[in-house]
Amino acid sequence: MSETNSGGREFADRTVPVILQINGIKHELQLEPRVSLLDALREYVGLTGTKKGCNQGACGACTVLVDNERINSCFALAVQYQDREITTIEGVAHSDQLHALQAAFIECDGFQCGYCTPGQICSAIAMFEEFKQGAPSAVTEHLAETEIEFSEAEIKERMSGNLCRCGAYVGIVEAIREAFDKEAAR
Amino acid sequence: MSSPKTERRFVGKSVPRKEGRDKVTGAARYVDDIRFPEMLYGATVRTTSPRGRIKEIIFGENVPWDEFTIVTAKDIPGENYVALILNDQPYLVEEFFNHTEEPVLLLAHEDKFLVEKARRSIRFEIEEFSPVFTIEDSVNKREIIWGEDNVFKSFLVDKGNVDEVWESADVIVEGEYLTGAQEQLYIENNGMIAIANHEDGVTVWGSMQCPYYVHKALIKLFNLPEEKVRVVQTETGGGFGGKEEYPSMIAGHAALLSWKSGRPVKIIYDRAEDMAATTKRHPSHTRHRTAVSRDGKLLGMEIDFTVDGGAYATLSAVVLSRGTIHAAGPYLCPNVRIRSRAVATNAPPHGAFRGFGAPQSIFGLERHMDKIAKTLGLSPEEFRRRNFIQEGQTTATQQVIHEKVDLSGLMDRAFELSGYNEKREKFAEQNKSSRLKKGIGFASFMHGAGFTGSGEKYLESVVGAEATEQGNVRILAASTEIGQGTNTIFGQIASEALGIDYNLIEVAKPDTSNVPNSGPTVASRTCMIVGKLVESAALGLKQTLVGSGFLKDSGYTSEDFSNACRAYIEKHGALKSFSKYQQPEGINWDDEHYRGDAYGAYAWAVYVAEVTVDPTVYEAHVDDFVAVQEVGRVINPVLATGQIEGGVAQGIGYTLYENVVWRDGRMANNQMTNYIIPTSADIPPIRVFFAENPYAYGPAGAKGIGELPMDGAAPAILSAIENATGVSINHIPLVPESLMEELETETI
């Protein structure tokens, strides 16, 4: 799995050392600066759980967490993310114990084909962090509101960057509520 | 550990998906997640204009061409066509081409970046021929671009004598309806990996719906015996019809490159290539002329239905067939004539997409039914109620409906759940003073499950069940899991039939070297047709165990069953049981006159949509959706609900957002940034209700379900928009600029 992609030979002499901290493990890579974080994860580290859907930041399938914030990894260069804590879908569960959201996705049927699912799950974890920190969304009525309700409209709006063509949105929203409602109510 | 079979224990329960854990942990392996040592990356060089002749291929400079594997049509060992129905689509252009994005040559190299650079460097010197881009130009033979008359296929359905109704009819209503193309847009792009050589033959792994379609195509392409070709489905990130026929093309390309290079070759399309080059839903044009009595009874329907098939025949004949048969809907009419045709244009071939022709013709019919009701001064629901088909009556193909169909009951339920009647009144009042206009509308329809007519009889699908050394039962079927729940429902059907624990049922990965041909994963046939074979193959296994004395006929536990499997294998080596499709008694289809029992069973539905139209920005939004249907017995309520929700979501996209912009026969907006599909914020609450009426020939009483929900959203939403604005619109997609045109025209 760790077999190295030869990358672009015309740029082979322009590779740079890149150290990435992924799911708690340090990876020392030799990459061309143009390699995206997504390609670094999939092609160079062998973590294929993160998916490539559009490679232009439009579908959200490649969402990973960087220092607990969500980013589209296809839109990021790997070299920009040295010394940051990167979490992919492979790092969401604690060994055999699924993250509450992963379990809720199964229970609420928050997916069909499963291809957007790693991105949905990573995105929702960070989305909830944003919510807890009081970040408003486009549907939040009063931006100065201190108590935003963890409503269906808020979840749908905050998750609208992660496309699901199977149309499992109803299950996705249910799974998010199932996993986070209690904590949101606190 | 478990009790003997006394009541249904697994069917009707929402057991979790078999592959669920792998999908939420990132462990599921899709084709692009797989890599072989020494693997090369393949790319496809395609035509850049719609119709012409290639005079010369010009290879760019500054590319080390001697390091590349280059495949042209001359390298094809067998037949240069994608074997399907008419075999008219080449794998690689030899000289003449018929659409943009048509594959001409293939490149492979170990350096992905270099392959892309090389691909972009190639140019063609061409002689251009005059292309045809519209249904109208094709029908009028502005140019002959396919066969003698541009027509891939035509059908005539004739019931009664429609010619006699016009003179005596109280009212005659005519209408014209248009639907656009739609991109399947599975989030996983198409991709294949191939290992091919003279000694071992051809093996491909990839994202697909129909392993045996790919198998058949590769046998012809390489002129190999069937045992020398192996096709393995990898986890598939959505299909919706879009991975029905085109994977045969990509598999062939990867295999040709591997054959020539002697190394494994992977071809993964990027989003832009997938959107521009692969199939989309057929655009359509429907004309209706209908005779009705003053009291609202259908007397005669004349329907003319045309679909744009693109440049090659591919599946257009079958898409047309389904569209034709669904064109007169779930209504009783004594005299019906449907003429239909699929015609050629110089666009990439249009293909399978959930619903397969039915959403197009049902859209036309349901909009037209609203128009007739309005003309008669009846409410749309009252006009439907007066014409709904009943048990014992005949469809347009003169199929007698032998099931208890109760569309009026489904309508009552849908209206009750959606508050239809109250909202009709309330919105009429509110809209007088409100800037935003609200409306509610519905559609009533049916969808036939399984292949049309004699299709299932000719397919002769086979399913196997085998006992494993661990004492489990493994289902052997070519039906693919593409998110719709194949693995899970097969497990439920088999465990129910055997009366053993669900977790004892394994479902084999579709691999043509290991599973029999149970037909393609299409046409809402997996549950009803293949599921029934799963049930009988599993029962065959049990019969052998009972017959050979290893198992009691009844009153056994799961553990007893496992022990019996192990004991049998120990003594006889292996235990397998196969079941082959047999057409239920009383299904008769006349292919020549397109008459008779078109489908073994139909699902019936009434869908209600509620919308808000913003007349300032010309945007329509769906606020609420109620989907009521009868699909026989529901095997897994959560999965079935997911199928309906997903189909409705795609239907909402089809209606309001998804606009394929064509420029010289090429999709111009082939990106996810400008081809817009619904997000979570665009999808309303979708309330799904199943009325259950077990179907005698389905597994545990189930019928088909997958395509049905694609049919109802578009006509229901346009009906709601008419209710909100008073403007009747007869075409989709209804993007804001189209809605503006419609509303402005109306007020001028």
Side-chain angles (χ1 to χ4, degrees):
Chain A
M1 270 331 291
S2 58
E3 176 197 345
T4 309
N5 189 303
S6 59
R9 187 186 35 190
E10 53 181 322
F11 294 101
D13 55 347
R14 300 190 208 166
T15 62
V16 293
V18 178
I19 299 171
L20 295 178
Q21 182 79 17
I22 308 164
N23 302 330
I25 297 169
K26 190 182 275 191
H27 295 266
E28 294 182 22
L29 308 169
Q30 193 69 30
L31 302 176
E32 293 169 49
R34 65 172 167 174
V35 171
S36 69
L37 179 58
L38 174 62
D39 283 344
L41 292 169
R42 292 181 50 85
E43 309 278 337
Y44 295 84
V45 183
L47 289 171
T48 55
T50 307
K51 299 302 181 212
K52 187 181 278 188
C54 66
N55 213 25
Q56 59 171 175
C59 76
C62 66
T63 306
V64 298
L65 305 174
V66 175
D67 296 333
N68 299 319
E69 290 182 355
R70 50 182 172 171
I71 64 161
N72 285 325
S73 62
C74 74
F75 244 18
L77 295 174
V79 291
Q80 295 174 286
Y81 290 88
Q82 306 203 67
D83 309 319
R84 308 281 294 273
E85 187 60 51
I86 299 163
T87 306
T88 69
I89 189 68
E90 290 92 343
V92 166
H94 292 286
S95 62
D96 267 3
Q97 183 72 38
L98 293 182
H99 186 285
L101 187 60
Q102 290 173 311
F105 261 70
I106 295 176
E107 195 189 318
C108 304
D109 209 38
F111 59 93
Q112 291 179 22
C113 80
Y115 199 78
C116 72
T117 312
Q120 299 277 2
I121 290 175
C122 288
S123 181
I125 289 171
M127 177 277 292
F128 189 60
E129 288 301 315
E130 293 161 18
F131 172 82
K132 280 198 296 188
Q133 287 161 20
S137 81
V139 298
T140 307
E141 280 193 30
H142 302 289
L143 294 187
E145 199 86 68
T146 46
E147 290 291 313
I148 303 168
E149 193 197 343
F150 196 55
S151 65
E152 186 170 317
E154 284 285 353
I155 296 172
K156 282 179 160 182
E157 169 60 29
R158 289 163 190 261
M159 290 299 294
S160 62
N162 289 82
L163 299 178
C164 170
R165 185 53 154 173
C166 297
Y169 293 127
V170 176
I172 292 169
V173 173
E174 263 178 40
I176 291 170
R177 303 203 74 145
E178 168 83 20
F180 298 134
D181 255 359
K182 268 188 209 145
E183 202 181 330
R186 255 181 242 161
Chain B
M1 80 189 222
S2 38
S3 59
K5 182 182 167 189
T6 49
E7 56 180 34
R8 291 190 190 286
R9 292 161 51 209
F10 301 103
V11 162
K13 305 274 161 65
S14 296
V15 303
R17 285 175 187 272
K18 287 222 175 258
E19 71 289 353
R21 194 181 169 97
D22 282 353
K23 285 182 174 174
V24 301
T25 55
R29 306 270 278 169
Y30 299 80
V31 62
D32 199 20
D33 303 338
I34 297 165
R35 193 191 287 181
F36 289 99
E38 300 291 302
M39 193 172 78
L40 304 180
Y41 294 93
T44 314
V45 185
R46 301 170 181 279
T47 54
T48 50
S49 59
R51 185 167 174 241
R53 184 175 75 85
I54 296 180
K55 292 194 289 190
E56 203 190 337
I57 299 172
I58 301 151
F59 290 83
E61 287 170 15
N62 298 323
V63 176
W65 289 111
D66 55 333
E67 295 174 13
F68 277 80
T69 302
I70 302 171
V71 164
T72 69
K74 291 193 187 77
D75 294 300
I76 291 175
E79 305 284 352
N80 185 14
Y81 58 73
V82 186
L84 193 60
I85 299 175
L86 292 183
N87 302 335
D88 64 333
Q89 183 182 27
Y91 266 101
L92 292 168
V93 170
E94 289 173 16
E95 185 179 358
F96 297 97
F97 59 92
N98 292 294
H99 63 85
T100 54
E101 306 292 335
E102 194 165 353
V104 182
L105 83 173
L106 307 167
L107 308 174
H109 194 282
E110 63 191 4
D111 184 336
K112 227 187 232 188
F113 291 104
L114 202 53
V115 169
E116 184 53 21
K117 183 182 171 188
R119 187 184 70 79
R120 285 167 191 251
S121 83
I122 291 175
R123 288 185 303 110
F124 301 116
E125 190 139 324
I126 58 172
E127 178 187 352
E128 304 233 22
F129 301 156
S130 175
V132 167
F133 295 134
T134 64
I135 285 177
E136 197 184 359
D137 282 352
S138 182
V139 169
N140 294 335
K141 302 176 205 164
R142 205 181 56 74
E143 290 283 333
I144 299 294
I145 59 165
W146 194 92
E148 285 170 8
D149 55 3
N150 293 339
V151 177
F152 293 127
K153 185 76 180 179
S154 59
F155 292 113
L156 169 65
V157 171
D158 220 350
K159 176 189 183 186
N161 188 349
V162 81
D163 294 329
E164 287 176 359
V165 304
W166 309 113
E167 224 164 283
S168 59
D170 295 330
V171 181
I172 296 171
V173 182
E174 298 187 20
E176 207 170 333
Y177 307 90
L178 298 167
T179 64
Q182 186 186 17
E183 163 62 31
Q184 294 89 352
L185 213 79
Y186 29 73
I187 308 293
E188 181 208 27
N189 287 312
N190 270 290
M192 288 281 170
I193 303 174
I195 297 181
N197 55 60
H198 291 270
E199 300 82 69
D200 307 320
V202 175
T203 302
V204 297
W205 294 260
S207 185
M208 68 183 80
Q209 291 177 230
C210 312
Y212 275 95
Y213 277 9
V214 178
H215 191 250
K216 173 180 162 180
L218 293 176
I219 287 169
K220 289 286 179 196
L221 176 64
F222 285 90
N223 192 23
L224 285 171
E226 54 184 88
E227 66 276 9
K228 284 283 205 184
V229 175
R230 180 181 166 208
V231 179
V232 186
Q233 183 220 3
T234 50
E235 199 73 65
T236 297
F240 320 115
K243 291 171 184 171
E244 176 170 348
E245 69 271 41
Y246 208 87
S248 298
M249 176 74 85
I250 308 164
H253 288 166
L256 287 168
L257 283 166
S258 179
W259 188 264
K260 192 162 182 181
S261 66
R263 290 168 64 171
V265 174
K266 180 192 257 191
I267 296 181
I268 304 289
Y269 284 2
D270 69 15
R271 181 58 62 186
E273 180 176 27
D274 198 305
M275 291 179 82
T278 74
T279 61
K280 283 165 210 40
R281 184 185 300 286
H282 290 67
S284 80
H285 181 188
T286 310
R287 280 201 191 88
H288 278 269
R289 184 168 188 239
T290 311
V292 279
S293 65
R294 204 164 302 286
D295 64 349
K297 284 279 191 186
L298 289 167
L299 303 175
M301 302 168 89
E302 193 156 33
I303 305 171
D304 187 281
F305 177 59
T306 309
V307 298
D308 171 356
Y312 295 106
T314 60
L315 290 170
S316 286
V318 236
V319 170
L320 181 71
S321 159
R322 188 172 279 270
T324 304
I325 291 167
H326 286 76
Y331 306 107
L332 176 69
C333 181
N335 306 287
V336 181
R337 182 178 295 144
I338 309 168
R339 286 182 195 281
S340 67
R341 64 205 67 73
V343 299
T345 61
N346 294 109
H350 296 300
F353 191 160
R354 196 177 203 166
F356 209 70
Q360 292 95 316
S361 65
I362 288 172
F363 172 77
L365 174 67
E366 285 298 286
R367 291 309 294 135
H368 191 62
M369 291 295 280
D370 278 6
K371 183 173 184 180
I372 299 169
K374 203 176 189 177
T375 311
L376 288 171
L378 287 174
S379 70
E381 56 272 22
E382 182 52 34
F383 177 54
R384 299 314 200 281
R385 285 189 204 274
R386 292 183 191 184
N387 293 285
F388 275 144
I389 200 163
Q390 314 280 346
E391 186 178 4
Q393 295 180 334
T394 60
T395 65
T397 64
Q398 299 175 54
Q399 172 169 11
V400 180
I401 298 299
H402 290 298
E403 46 182 320
K404 281 205 185 345
V405 46
D406 180 19
L407 281 154
S408 255
L410 297 179
M411 183 182 267
D412 289 341
R413 181 79 207 197
F415 283 8
E416 187 192 320
L417 286 166
S418 60
Y420 178 89
N421 292 316
E422 307 83 79
K423 282 178 178 168
R424 273 308 251 215
E425 279 180 32
K426 192 174 92 182
F427 294 160
E429 196 50 43
Q430 281 178 359
N431 286 345
K432 288 179 193 160
S433 55
S434 164
R435 183 183 70 83
L436 299 177
K437 307 296 178 196
K438 290 204 56 125
I440 189 164
F442 74 95
S444 40
F445 55 100
M446 89 293 205
H447 198 97
F451 264 36
T452 303
S454 319
E456 292 295 344
K457 200 165 85 182
Y458 294 130
L459 266 180
E460 296 194 309
S461 297
V462 176
V463 166
E466 67 175 341
T468 71
E469 284 173 15
Q470 293 74 37
N472 289 353
V473 173
R474 185 183 294 134
I475 302 301
L476 306 172
S479 303
T480 49
E481 169 66 62
I482 53 174
Q484 83 286 44
T486 303
N487 292 343
T488 309
I489 61 159
F490 281 1
Q492 290 178 272
I493 291 167
S495 61
E496 189 71 52
L498 297 174
I500 61 171
D501 198 78
Y502 167 73
N503 292 320
L504 292 183
I505 313 292
E506 301 172 16
V507 181
K509 178 203 276 271
D511 171 344
T512 58
S513 71
N514 187 42
V515 301
N517 186 353
S518 25
T521 307
V522 304
S524 308
R525 65 185 295 278
T526 299
C527 179
M528 184 175 102
I529 304 283
V530 188
K532 187 70 187 173
L533 297 174
V534 168
E535 189 180 81
S536 51
L539 288 173
L541 199 79
K542 175 183 158 182
Q543 217 166 34
T544 308
L545 289 174
V546 172
S548 54
F550 288 98
L551 186 72
K552 289 185 286 183
D553 190 29
S554 60
Y556 57 82
T557 64
S558 292
E559 215 176 330
D560 295 340
F561 195 94
S562 285
N563 289 337
C565 288
R566 280 190 287 261
Y568 189 100
I569 290 173
E570 199 164 299
K571 185 164 179 201
H572 298 289
L575 172 55
K576 283 191 191 190
S577 152
F578 290 91
S579 182
K580 187 166 159 182
Y581 178 78
Q582 279 175 328
Q583 200 165 48
E585 290 288 309
I587 293 190
N588 295 297
W589 177 252
D590 174 353
D591 223 3
E592 195 185 336
H593 300 99
Y594 244 57
R595 189 182 296 160
D597 302 313
Y599 299 98
Y602 293 89
W604 311 93
V606 175
Y607 284 7
V608 179
E610 188 182 320
V611 301
T612 299
V613 177
D614 183 334
T616 311
V617 294
Y618 302 100
E619 202 170 55
H621 187 266
V622 183
D623 302 325
D624 189 27
F625 205 97
V626 168
V628 174
Q629 50 260 302
E630 189 267 285
V631 295
R633 196 176 168 86
V634 174
I635 304 277
N636 184 317
V638 164
L639 264 58
T641 301
Q643 281 299 293
I644 304 300
E645 289 166 354
V648 168
Q650 289 173 359
I652 291 172
Y654 186 39
T655 313
L656 295 177
Y657 305 113
E658 300 183 35
N659 187 25
V660 176
V661 178
W662 295 101
R663 200 167 291 150
D664 295 336
R666 184 182 187 278
M667 184 182 192
N669 55 332
N670 56 327
Q671 302 179 57
M672 284 169 112
T673 49
N674 52 7
Y675 180 82
I676 306 302
I677 64 168
T679 70
S680 51
D682 302 312
I683 298 302
I686 300 168
R687 292 179 283 146
V688 179
F689 177 80
F690 295 104
E692 291 195 273
N693 178 25
Y695 167 56
Y697 301 102
K703 298 194 279 199
I705 183 172
E707 294 172 293
L708 174 82
M710 191 70 223
D711 297 342
I717 293 167
L718 262 64
S719 178
I721 290 174
E722 180 171 356
N723 180 236
T725 62
V727 181
S728 174
I729 299 167
N730 297 327
H731 58 87
I732 49 169
L734 191 62
V735 292
E737 42 271 50
S738 307
L739 184 57
M740 178 178 87
E741 236 167 73
E742 293 284 348
L743 297 184
E744 293 296 306
T745 313
E746 201 67 18
T747 46
I748 284 166

